[in-house]
Amino acid sequence: MADIIHRVGVKAPVSKVYTALSTVEGVAGWWTKETSGSSKIGGTIEVRFHSPDRKEIGRMSMEVVALDPNKNVHWRVTAGPEEWVRTDVIFNLSQEGEYTIVLFGHKNWRAANEFMSHCSTKWATFLLSLKELVETGTGKPSPNDIKIDNWN
Amino acid sequence: MADIIHRVGVKAPVSKVYTALSTVEGVAGWWTKETSGSSKIGGTIEVRFHSPDRKEIGRMSMEVVALDPNKNVHWRVTAGPEEWVRTDVIFNLSQEGEYTIVLFGHKNWRAANEFMSHCSTKWATFLLSLKELVETGTGKPSPNDIKIDNWN
């Protein structure tokens, strides 16, 4: 098993960051505009990604496994790229001074392959998009996401 | 052992990316302006980081373990934060169409702790700085690096 891990600090109250992670509207503001579904525990969030010329380049479904207000959001991937299915996406929140610290994990990959490397870098850009969304009101969700390589 | 991995694609010939990774001047253009030492095999590269108010916030030394022109750069950390010492920093290069693909690994961390999470996100920003440097001529090396949290 292999894990992607990241840490960002958002200059904002923890409740604002939690809202951006625990609602469909919030996720649509930093990850992909094409976010739909139910963000309640037991619900399924669906995300889709299109290239600038409107070709679908990704689609995933995640079950909301746990929500601990202002502390933790836990999704389990139920559909999408084979490598993603049955992995866990986890956000842990805490307050440090004027920052909300987000400890992120995309855990339990079966192998540390090239696609995982791509996703690791891509997650960093989306977490910085989350920081930007909460701090300024505008993130960089897909299709306005930062392009990192020839895959996306 | 735990690894940080990333993937970026640079729209440039592989030789340009290799030069940015295998010379002191190159590294100073995307990681930290305060890069010095010898970038030959067996040499030691030293990097330092200062906060905007000129407080030293980091310093590492890395031995150049292997250099395979246009293919591979391998450093081993010999001094710096305890967690970094005896870890490996590896860049593998390949050409895919008009892109040079950089597969990055900062490998052999003893534990996947919060500092490793910070470094994972930070490496993503430095690899995007490398991409920017080679594609446009100007990167974002420290102290002009992207700040991600309350640590840097």
Side-chain angles (χ1 to χ4, degrees), chain B residues 24-40:
Chain B
V24 167
E25 298 68 28
V27 174
W30 61 267
W31 194 10
T32 172
K33 288 186 181 179
E34 298 178 275
T35 301
S36 59
S38 162
S39 58
K40 293 180 190 164

Side-chain angles (χ1 to χ4, degrees), chain A residues 29-30 33 128-134 136-141 144:
Chain A
W30 62 266
K33 287 187 180 177
L128 291 171
S129 168
L130 165 69
K131 174 177 166 68
E132 205 174 327
L133 170 69
V134 176
T136 73
T138 309
K140 288 196 180 73
N144 304 325

Side-chain angles (χ1 to χ4, degrees), chain B residues 27-123:
Chain B
V27 174
W30 61 267
W31 194 10
T32 172
K33 288 186 181 179
E34 298 178 275
T35 301
S36 59
S38 162
S39 58
K40 293 180 190 164
I41 292 179
T44 294
I45 297 174
E46 289 175 16
V47 291
R48 293 173 71 185
F49 301 84
H50 281 86
S51 64
D53 58 351
R54 299 297 305 155
K55 228 169 55 180
E56 185 175 288
I57 51 175
R59 177 200 288 245
M60 299 91 163
S61 299
M62 292 156 303
E63 185 191 336
V64 180
V65 175
L67 290 175
D68 190 351
N70 301 335
K71 288 190 182 156
N72 177 269
V73 172
H74 181 168
W75 303 328
R76 181 158 300 135
V77 181
T78 54
E82 189 192 334
E83 294 96 330
W84 276 53
V85 177
R86 294 189 304 281
T87 59
D88 292 277
V89 178
I90 299 167
F91 305 84
N92 281 306
L93 307 181
S94 61
Q95 189 87 35
E96 286 189 22
E98 57 185 347
Y99 285 88
T100 295
I101 301 301
V102 182
L103 284 178
F104 169 85
H106 183 179
K107 301 194 171 186
N108 302 319
W109 287 66
R110 262 83 67 194
N113 59 17
E114 197 167 340
F115 182 51
M116 182 175 157
S117 297
H118 166 86
C119 293
S120 175
T121 313
K122 205 72 198 180
W123 272 123

Side-chain angles (χ1 to χ4, degrees), chain A residues 3-10 94 96 99 101 103-104 112-118 120-122 124-125 127-128 131 146-151, chain B residues 3-10 94 96 99 101 103-104 112-118 120-122 124-125 127-128 131 146-151:
Chain A
D3 299 341
I4 294 167
I5 57 175
H6 286 294
R7 182 187 197 269
V8 294
V10 184
S94 61
E96 286 188 24
Y99 284 88
I101 301 302
L103 283 177
F104 169 85
N113 59 17
E114 196 166 341
F115 182 51
M116 181 175 157
S117 297
H118 166 86
S120 175
T121 313
K122 205 73 197 178
T125 68
L127 290 163
L128 291 171
K131 174 177 166 68
I146 292 171
K147 305 303 178 187
I148 61 162
D149 59 20
N150 56 338
W151 290 346
Chain B
D3 299 340
I4 294 167
I5 58 175
H6 287 295
R7 183 186 196 270
V8 295
V10 184
S94 61
E96 286 189 22
Y99 285 88
I101 301 301
L103 284 178
F104 169 85
N113 59 17
E114 197 167 340
F115 182 51
M116 182 175 157
S117 297
H118 166 86
S120 175
T121 313
K122 205 72 198 180
T125 68
L127 290 164
L128 291 170
K131 174 176 165 71
I146 292 171
K147 305 303 179 189
I148 61 163
D149 60 19
N150 56 338
W151 290 345

Side-chain angles (χ1 to χ4, degrees), chain B residues 124-138:
Chain B
T125 68
F126 286 123
L127 290 164
L128 291 170
S129 167
L130 165 70
K131 174 176 165 71
E132 205 174 328
L133 169 69
V134 176
E135 290 179 353
T136 73
T138 310

Side-chain angles (χ1 to χ4, degrees), chain A residues 64-137:
Chain A
V64 181
V65 175
L67 290 174
D68 190 353
N70 300 337
K71 288 188 183 157
N72 178 268
V73 173
H74 182 167
W75 303 328
R76 182 158 301 135
V77 181
T78 54
E82 190 194 334
E83 294 95 331
W84 276 54
V85 176
R86 293 188 305 281
T87 58
D88 294 275
V89 178
I90 299 167
F91 304 84
N92 281 305
L93 306 180
S94 61
Q95 190 87 35
E96 286 188 24
E98 58 185 347
Y99 284 88
T100 295
I101 301 302
V102 182
L103 283 177
F104 169 85
H106 184 180
K107 302 192 171 187
N108 303 318
W109 287 66
R110 263 82 67 193
N113 59 17
E114 196 166 341
F115 182 51
M116 181 175 157
S117 297
H118 166 86
C119 293
S120 175
T121 313
K122 205 73 197 178
W123 272 123
T125 68
F126 285 124
L127 290 163
L128 291 171
S129 168
L130 165 69
K131 174 177 166 68
E132 205 174 327
L133 170 69
V134 176
E135 290 179 353
T136 73

